[in-house]
Amino acid sequence: RHARLRDAVQDASRERDALMSLARTDPLTGLPNRRGLDAALGAALPHAQADRLLAVFMLDLDGFKPVNDQHGHAVGDRLLVAVGDRLLVAVAQRLRAHLRHADLIARLGGDEFVVMAQQLPSVMQAHDLGIALQESFLTPFYVQGVEIRVGLTIGYALAPDDACDACTLIRLADAAMYSGKQRGKFCVRRNKGDLALASS
């Protein structure tokens, strides 16, 4: 009886953990979603210091929306969706390949991703990371035998320099990304707080 009760408790615990994981995970890419990102930022922000910066990068794909229209006419609606979905999975894989193991990538929905990078010793290193992510998209993607080119517009903010809470960091990074979209796309912009009004 005790063994059965112990097994039941373990099963319930595993099921609870699985449900919590699903609630924090994007089902398409397997990346953390907004809840997962918030949890990671909450754990990491208390450790951010002037010589151990935390960067939040907001990434939006340039040229994603026309992908299905350009490459799916002859194969029907079902494959149209698959092309876009597979491209997003490939984007997640490429981002992961250009980041350190400790860095986190999240997908907020659509073609919008967030990168959280910790323990950065300088502002320059944060900017260089943004440039490296952007330049990694100069190489085309190949999805179902089709060459697809998309770019990245990136906005970012730093803790503790620009803000110390997750909500403000994300808002600042989003405003910088949006500003970059308005000014020609395919750029990397930091928001120290001066671009905050651009998103309102």
Side-chain angles (χ1 to χ4, degrees):
R1 181 180 176 184
H2 289 296
R4 288 197 301 272
L5 182 59
R6 184 187 66 241
D7 291 344
V9 169
Q10 290 175 344
D11 289 344
S13 179
R14 281 193 291 268
E15 186 174 345
R16 183 200 64 214
D17 291 345
L19 288 172
M20 288 181 64
S21 177
L22 285 173
R24 294 183 175 188
T25 303
D26 171 52
L28 175 63
T29 61
L31 298 175
N33 59 15
R34 180 59 182 260
R35 285 185 180 179
L37 173 64
D38 287 344
L41 281 170
L45 277 169
H47 306 288
Q49 299 179 16
D51 59 345
R52 289 186 292 173
L53 297 169
L54 183 148
V56 172
F57 298 89
M58 185 72 67
L59 288 63
D60 192 78
L61 298 183
D62 301 330
F64 175 74
K65 292 178 182 177
V67 165
N68 287 336
D69 293 336
Q70 293 174 357
H71 301 294
H73 292 304
V75 292
D77 292 342
R78 294 180 66 183
L79 192 52
L80 282 181
V81 176
V83 169
D85 285 355
R86 291 183 183 184
L87 176 59
L88 291 172
V89 172
V91 164
Q93 292 170 344
R94 183 166 298 181
L95 291 172
R96 192 179 285 118
H98 285 81
L99 292 168
R100 303 165 303 171
H101 180 72
D103 298 333
L104 178 134
I105 316 165
R107 179 178 174 235
L108 301 190
D111 60 341
E112 198 166 65
F113 294 81
V114 173
V115 168
M116 181 189 78
Q118 306 179 63
Q119 306 287 327
L120 298 172
S122 68
V123 172
M124 183 60 70
Q125 186 166 349
H127 187 74
D128 288 347
L129 176 56
I131 295 294
L133 291 173
Q134 183 190 55
E135 290 182 347
S136 73
F137 278 61
L138 293 173
T139 302
F141 292 86
Y142 292 90
V143 179
Q144 296 178 334
V146 176
E147 179 181 300
I148 299 175
R149 292 183 178 273
V150 291
L152 277 182
T153 296
I154 302 175
Y156 72 98
L158 303 175
D161 292 13
D162 304 329
C164 294
D165 66 280
C167 183
T168 304
L169 280 168
I170 291 171
R171 192 179 79 248
L172 291 175
D174 188 61
M177 182 273 293
Y178 183 74
S179 176
K181 283 283 193 184
Q182 290 183 315
R183 288 164 172 75
K185 304 179 181 181
F186 201 71
C187 61
V188 179
R189 301 197 72 184
R190 178 184 173 191
N191 189 354
K192 301 178 183 179
D194 52 322
L195 297 175
L197 293 178
S199 64
S200 59

